[in-house]
Structure formats: C-alpha cells, structure tokens
Amino acid sequence: AQTVTQSQPEMSVQEAETVTLSCTYDTSENNYYLFWYKQPPSRQMILVIRQEAYKQQNATENRFSVNFQKAAKSFSLKISDSQLGDTAMYFCAFMIPSGGGADGLTFGKGTHLIIQP
Amino acid sequence: NAGVTQTPKFQVLKTGQSMTLQCAQDMNHEYMSWYRQDPGMGLRLIHYSVGAGITDQGEVPNGYNVSRSTTEDFPLRLLSAAPSQTSVYFCASSYSWTSTDTQYFGPGTRLTVL
C-alpha cells in the first residue's frame, strides 16, 4: 500500500514571499505519478502540478514548481511570489497507472496555507 | 460543458435514513470515483467505476452502494446513514485511468448525519 505524508498541518507567510510545502511518500512501485491539489474555501479540488516519476526534470507551472527527489521519496511544492488567492488547503497525492484505478489517488492529510497581506 | 456536477451541495440526515448522492459528468469519461474527506485527513476512495455496468470497491466501501447504468451518472447510495458517515463527499472522473488523464473533481456534497 502507498502512503503520503504531509508533515506541516498549517503554514503562514506574507504576500510576495516564497513558501515550500513538504510531502513524502512510500511505495514499492517504480512507475507512479505525483500531484499537488489546491482546495480553496470553495472546496473545489484544483490540480496545481503533476510529476512523472520517470522524469528527472522537476515540473513547473508558472509560480509553482516542485522539488522531486525520487531516492528520498520526497515531493515538495514551492510557491513563488505568493498571492492572497493562494490561501487554501494543499494536498499531495500519489497515483499508480497500473491496476486500473483500484487504488484511486492516495492523498496526504493536507497543509493549510495562509497568505497574509 | 458543465464538467462534474454533484447534488445536493448540503444534506442533513437522521441516523438510519437512506439517501442518494448524485454525480454526473458530460465529458464522456469512462472512469468515475467517489471519495470522502474527513477533517484532518486527505480524500479516501469509496468506490470506483471503469465504465458503464462496472463498479468496484475502494478503500472505505462499507455502508455505501454504487451503480453505473450510464456513462454519465454515478450515484452513491447510503442505505442506513450513520454519524460516522458525516463527511464531505467528492465525485471525480477522467477519460480513463492512465497517467495522462487529469482527474476532474465535482464541487462536493457536505453530509451531516445526526
């Protein structure tokens, strides 16, 4: 079974600062994918970024980037130039493409990120 | 294109009552799933379906039934609600279960069982 651990229940930073959210995972699989989802107060789950385990290059999406360390099983999210609209719960998630979706997405418990004005 | 829709948005039940949470998607997605989100926890998979007529259990299926008579709809039934089923429920869909297919989530249903 796969597990995802987010060790920071809550973080708070000032607007325009850079913040890094931590995520570690455990799996015996070699082919997998990692995701960061954002859940604002509206409850909508929004995909922020994805990373393929076979790719060494870290994924980036505008102000969002990841630091993927496969050997350490670490997958942190960096948000640059943070904005008030970044305030949300952030979930790290894990997916195995094989198995037909029987395990679905495995989520961490989330980090509540607060951007202070 | 409405994406993934869920009804109702909020529901309060008494212990022992039954109800159905509705989920529909208009993207012709084959893979659909239900998750529950409890305070301090991530989402956990309840049931999933890889196509019309095919359903299977996820991590936490007890107390829930599903069916998939059409590609578009994937209702979740609570047969006899219990306070432990108080949660936020999310439906999700994707074209198939592959790495390249993004999971689209509905807006969620907040269920309270008294």
Side-chain angles (χ1 to χ4, degrees), chain B residues 39-90:
Chain B
M41 301 189 71
L43 281 67
R44 292 181 293 168
L45 183 67
I46 304 172
H47 283 284
Y48 70 99
S49 168
V50 298
I54 306 170
T55 64
D56 210 338
Q57 298 180 351
E59 181 186 354
V60 288
N62 293 341
Y64 307 95
N65 277 355
V66 292
S67 60
R68 185 94 180 271
S69 57
T70 66
T71 299
E72 295 76 21
D73 300 298
F74 190 44
L76 178 72
R77 296 185 186 84
L78 283 71
L79 302 177
S80 179
S84 61
Q85 293 178 304
T86 293
S87 189
V88 179
Y89 292 85
F90 287 95

Side-chain angles (χ1 to χ4, degrees), chain A residues 29 42-43 59 80 105 115-116:
Chain A
E29 298 285 334
S42 67
R43 287 206 313 255
S80 303
L105 290 167
I115 309 300
Q116 305 277 7

Side-chain angles (χ1 to χ4, degrees), chain B residues 93-109:
Chain B
S93 75
S94 62
Y95 183 71
S96 65
W97 183 258
T98 68
S99 59
T100 57
D101 292 329
T102 299
Q103 291 289 312
Y104 292 87
F105 284 84
T109 294

Side-chain angles (χ1 to χ4, degrees), chain A residues 79-115:
Chain A
I79 305 174
S80 303
D81 185 26
S82 57
Q83 301 174 358
L84 296 179
D86 295 333
T87 293
M89 285 291 291
Y90 286 82
F91 292 96
C92 180
F94 177 99
M95 171 230 194
I96 301 173
S98 62
D103 294 325
L105 290 167
T106 300
F107 285 87
K109 292 184 179 182
T111 296
H112 185 205
L113 176 64
I114 301 168
I115 309 300

Side-chain angles (χ1 to χ4, degrees), chain A residues 33 39 44 50 96 101 105 108, chain B residues 31 35 37 42 97 99 102 105:
Chain A
Y33 296 78
Q39 186 181 42
Q44 185 71 45
R50 73 165 68 212
I96 301 173
L105 290 167
Chain B
Y31 184 88
Y35 291 84
Q37 182 181 25
W97 183 258
S99 59
T102 299
F105 284 84

